[in-house]
Amino acid sequence: MTAELVRGQNHPLSQTRLEVRISAGEPIVAGATVGDEQGKVHGVEWVAHPGAPTLPGLEVSRQAAADHRLAVDLGAMPESVHRICVLLALPSGAGGPVRFGAVAAPFVAVTGLDGTEVASYTITGLEAESAVVALELYRRQDAWKVRAIGQGYAGGLTELLTDQGLAEAGHLAETINEAVSRAHSRAVAPPPPRIPDSDRTRRTASPAPAQSASPYAAQGPQDTRTPGAPEQAGAAVQGGQGGPPAPQPSSPYGVGDPQNTPAQASQRDGSPQAGRSGEAARADSSATGGPIDYSHPSRRTAAPSTVPPTAPPAQPGQSARPVAGDATGWSMEERLYNQVWGMFEDLARTTAACRSAVDFADSRLEQEIDKALADPRSRIGGRGDAAREAARAKHAQLVDQARAALDRDLSQLTAEAAVVEPALPLAYARWDNPVWHAYRVPMEMPMALRLGDLRLPESIDLSIPMLVRLPLERGLWIDSGGGSLDGSLIDSDELRRLALDTAVTHAARLLAVHPAGEFAVHVVDPAGSGALALAPLVRTGVLAGPPAAGAAGVADVLGRLTQRVDLVQMAVRGGAADSLPPDFDTAQQLLIVNDFPHGFDDRAVTQLRYLADEGPAVGVHLMMVADREDAAAYGPLLDPLWRSLLRLTPVPDDHLADPWVGHAWTYEPSVVPQGSQVLQQVLSQVAAARRSWNR
């Protein structure tokens, strides 16, 4: 039975391998400090936070999220550690709430690795506080207990860490906030929660499976075919025992309904659960009393009623045949969007499960070998060799089971991608998709846009379309610096050319997916160095005007767009949006800036920062083509600018993170096939539609 704690109450912990699960209504930062017998934290190296997420026996999330899972292994704690404090804080400078009194009361639960709650605590009574010590795990006479604390600090992380005894509390708080900002800037933005099905009229031909109000986990979409967050299930190994493995359940993609583990059942109430990087190794049966499960239950086996009528039902014992649009949504476009994000999350989760299982197998191998070497009896005869061989065999068995589960899921996801990719609508399709050859200017804006593809090292042959919602909520930064992922040298001039080509490709797609007259593109090219790459946009006449050159051209374009943002903001804030001038252009505006910061003075830089921060909310978007090193002279002044933009690269690079577990994904830009005329044909039709609309 779960112990529901009140402030100051404690409860014994019978397990050593635990998770601390945290749920809040807004993204928060989670961390932990470890202290000695008097509770003193001896230095910054005794603090686990997003910038340094791991300590012996402890791992925290790398980014701010509404939900967290902290992994704790009390058995791996050093003897000098007697106290673990779980800290929560609101991220600074994120534009969100600045006090806990403005958000829902945070909920903290200590659970076993199977999801069974041991103790829980709802932190109430917070008002002006922006940081809080939620609870502590402490050692008393060789036994561990949990105590509800709920101590808040109006001075934020600095005051909290100072109270923990850290002399460098202010510097550490800045380090944590900087790490959270970096994680936010590199994360692929998840889609917003959708309206519950019960609140709208569905336009789908066949009913969809029942779904909770919030189908997304950790601020990101999960497979909308199955509410809930992933745990490990599937191929079972009797951990810690030398006997044969437990019977393996059917594939998570099979026809039969998967059995609900306690962890799964506890998460199917619609409350989002966040993944975490390097999740704690799956439980040793000696600690949890159960087998190790690796399969990924975020995928529900498709019942015949959930498969569209066009798909023949799977035969008993066979996996459900993948179907394009096998997700909930008003339209096929929305169903495909949700399906792609479901595949994205599934790949992130199943890879995290495999990596964690392999990490666990490695750590247990080391522990068992150390234990064998520490026993003097094993040094006589062959007992030591036999113990090492048994440990290696158990390690190999665990790794094989984990990789078999991963291979099974990758096989299903690859088959699904092969069906989904050809069915994607124009805004989601690659440039080599035949749908572009039948292009017609659309009558309405799509819900999302493809910016490229994402891959993981474990799935080289499987790519996930990178879809972002429209209208864009962040500007784009095409990085013309850096190098290639494989370490090969690329000429700086060539990299700049590729970066501008990538920007032109993205701009062309944005123009192509918007109705005529609803999207305008401006270009600033102070030195005229991008004339060749910009030729497709200039030649077809799709730009709002010729590319602006020189300092005067830069000032003119930035001045007009800044004035536009000011005007719309004043109208909206004054409740007079209908009073804009009759000749006011209501189209979305995109500004492409090439070769920044050349040709920019201090005033122009300030205007650019203003457009990046305030523009997206009123339909003015920024696309920077720049090398950050070129702007190094500005120092930290431009750091907020870079963080506010989504960084993309003209060559494959592993700089993006998913919003669930924080894997480093390799981003590959969307490119037009060599020798193809599809870009020219599409832009020509856009220009013709634009001329007709302006008549």
Side-chain angles (χ1 to χ4, degrees):
M1 179 179 294
T2 303
E4 297 182 1
L5 305 179
V6 297
R7 182 172 297 178
Q9 184 180 359
N10 61 32
H11 185 75
L13 298 174
S14 59
Q15 304 178 34
T16 59
R17 299 180 63 80
L18 302 166
E19 282 187 345
V20 179
R21 302 188 180 189
I22 302 160
S23 296
E26 297 286 342
I28 60 174
V29 180
T33 61
V34 295
D36 60 16
E37 197 165 2
Q38 287 73 41
K40 181 176 177 57
V41 180
H42 289 274
V44 294
E45 66 276 5
W46 286 49
V47 183
H49 57 83
T54 58
L55 292 176
L58 181 63
E59 182 175 6
V60 304
S61 303
R62 297 175 182 268
Q63 55 196 28
D67 299 271
H68 293 270
R69 293 187 193 177
L70 279 60
V72 180
D73 185 353
L74 299 175
M77 286 291 164
E79 290 295 328
S80 58
V81 173
H82 288 258
R83 197 178 303 271
I84 306 167
C85 292
V86 176
L87 321 175
L88 308 179
L90 294 170
S92 64
V98 296
R99 60 186 185 91
F100 275 109
V103 303
F107 174 79
V108 186
V110 179
T111 75
L113 292 187
D114 61 355
T116 304
E117 286 190 5
V118 178
S120 65
Y121 174 43
T122 301
I123 310 173
T124 58
L126 299 177
E127 289 296 337
E129 297 87 345
S130 58
V132 60
V133 178
L135 50 78
E136 66 176 4
L137 311 178
Y138 64 98
R139 196 198 312 251
R140 183 69 55 82
Q141 296 177 349
D142 294 329
W144 284 90
K145 295 183 179 182
V146 57
R147 176 186 288 125
I149 302 296
Q151 175 64 54
Y153 296 85
L157 274 174
T158 300
E159 183 181 353
L160 185 155
L161 294 170
T162 300
D163 194 42
Q164 295 271 319
L166 281 171
E168 53 273 82
H171 177 70
L172 179 57
E174 293 178 0
T175 300
I176 294 173
N177 289 325
E178 178 67 22
V180 172
S181 297
R182 287 198 305 268
H184 172 74
S185 66
R186 65 188 291 266
V188 179
R194 295 191 303 110
I195 300 173
D197 292 343
S198 59
D199 293 348
R200 64 184 182 177
T201 302
R202 301 186 58 79
R203 298 199 298 245
T204 53
S206 59
Q211 180 155 324
S212 62
S214 177
Y216 304 118
Q219 299 299 305
Q222 65 186 27
D223 188 340
T224 53
R225 285 158 283 179
T226 307
E231 293 290 333
Q232 303 80 260
V237 179
Q238 201 69 24
Q241 306 295 332
Q248 183 169 326
S250 60
S251 165
Y253 298 106
V255 175
D257 288 338
Q259 296 180 352
N260 291 337
T261 65
Q264 294 166 349
S266 69
Q267 294 180 18
R268 293 190 179 179
D269 59 355
S271 60
Q273 299 291 340
R276 54 184 170 80
S277 176
E279 295 189 32
R282 304 328 190 193
D284 190 340
S285 64
S286 62
T288 65
I292 303 172
D293 283 342
Y294 298 116
S295 70
H296 176 33
S298 178
R299 292 256 171 183
R300 182 177 61 188
T301 50
S305 61
T306 69
V307 179
T310 56
Q315 299 300 317
Q318 295 181 350
S319 298
R321 181 174 299 178
V323 178
D326 186 15
T328 56
W330 282 5
S331 62
M332 177 58 77
E333 179 190 14
E334 185 178 5
R335 294 201 299 271
L336 285 168
Y337 173 81
N338 288 332
Q339 186 172 15
V340 167
W341 269 86
M343 293 165 59
F344 186 14
E345 185 185 9
D346 283 352
L347 182 54
R349 301 286 196 186
T350 193
T351 303
C354 180
R355 290 180 181 179
S356 296
V358 173
D359 289 344
F360 171 55
D362 291 342
S363 64
R364 193 169 75 169
L365 174 63
E366 293 178 2
Q367 292 173 4
E368 293 186 356
I369 289 179
D370 290 343
K371 183 179 178 181
L373 293 175
D375 186 357
R377 294 172 298 178
S378 66
R379 301 171 188 170
I380 303 174
R383 294 182 60 183
D385 293 338
R388 285 190 289 272
E389 287 301 321
R392 292 190 182 99
K394 195 180 298 181
H395 172 270
Q397 183 186 34
L398 288 175
V399 171
D400 289 345
Q401 291 280 1
R403 288 179 176 162
L406 176 64
D407 290 342
R408 182 181 62 243
D409 285 355
L410 288 180
S411 176
Q412 174 64 17
L413 286 168
T414 302
E416 186 171 8
V419 173
V420 170
E421 185 68 49
L424 293 177
L426 185 136
Y428 306 171
R430 287 197 299 247
W431 285 106
D432 58 358
N433 193 309
V435 70
W436 286 102
H437 296 288
Y439 172 76
R440 294 293 182 271
V441 177
M443 300 299 293
E444 60 182 19
M445 182 182 72
M447 66 182 297
L449 182 84
R450 185 175 191 157
L451 292 179
D453 295 275
L454 298 170
R455 301 178 188 269
L456 285 174
E458 291 86 350
S459 56
I460 298 299
D461 297 330
L462 174 62
S463 63
I464 303 295
M466 180 181 169
L467 304 182
V468 296
R469 289 295 291 261
L470 291 178
L472 296 173
E473 296 180 357
R474 298 170 65 184
L476 304 177
W477 166 28
I478 315 300
D479 191 357
S480 60
S484 64
L485 184 63
D486 59 6
S488 59
L489 296 178
I490 300 180
D491 181 73
S492 59
D493 292 337
E494 175 67 10
L495 198 58
R496 293 176 189 274
R497 183 191 65 79
L498 290 174
L500 190 52
D501 285 344
T502 302
V504 169
T505 302
H506 290 320
R509 183 181 288 263
L510 282 164
L511 284 164
V513 302
H514 282 81
E518 293 192 12
F519 197 83
V521 177
H522 309 264
V523 175
V524 167
D525 185 22
S529 60
L532 184 61
L534 293 169
L537 300 178
V538 175
R539 194 165 49 238
T540 54
V542 295
L543 295 178
V554 171
D556 177 61
V557 172
L558 291 179
R560 285 189 285 111
L561 291 178
T562 301
Q563 186 179 30
R564 174 192 175 89
V565 172
D566 289 338
L567 182 62
V568 176
Q569 281 187 338
M570 287 189 294
V572 172
R573 291 169 181 170
D578 295 336
S579 63
L580 290 169
D583 59 346
F584 184 81
D585 183 8
T586 59
Q588 299 274 320
Q589 309 288 316
L590 174 69
L591 173 61
I592 301 176
V593 177
N594 183 42
D595 219 12
F596 176 82
H598 303 300
F600 283 75
D601 56 20
D602 290 345
R603 175 180 171 80
V605 170
T606 302
Q607 290 177 318
L608 200 64
R609 287 186 55 185
Y610 178 72
L611 292 177
D613 292 338
E614 305 295 335
V618 293
V620 177
H621 311 285
L622 189 61
M623 184 184 294
M624 298 272 292
V625 182
D627 180 358
R628 188 169 183 172
E629 293 300 320
D630 291 344
Y634 287 94
L637 177 67
L638 290 181
D639 286 350
L641 173 63
W642 304 119
R643 285 198 298 265
S644 69
L645 304 174
L646 175 61
R647 176 176 174 250
L648 302 176
T649 54
V651 294
D653 189 70
D654 58 351
H655 66 283
L656 291 176
D658 62 80
W660 303 284
V661 294
H663 290 315
W665 292 73
T666 297
Y667 166 77
E668 296 181 354
S670 183
V671 297
V672 179
Q674 189 71 25
S676 174
Q677 297 299 313
V678 64
L679 189 67
Q680 185 72 24
Q681 295 169 2
V682 168
L683 289 176
S684 297
Q685 291 198 42
V686 170
R690 179 187 175 89
R691 288 192 295 269
S692 299
W693 183 82
N694 285 329
R695 289 175 183 171

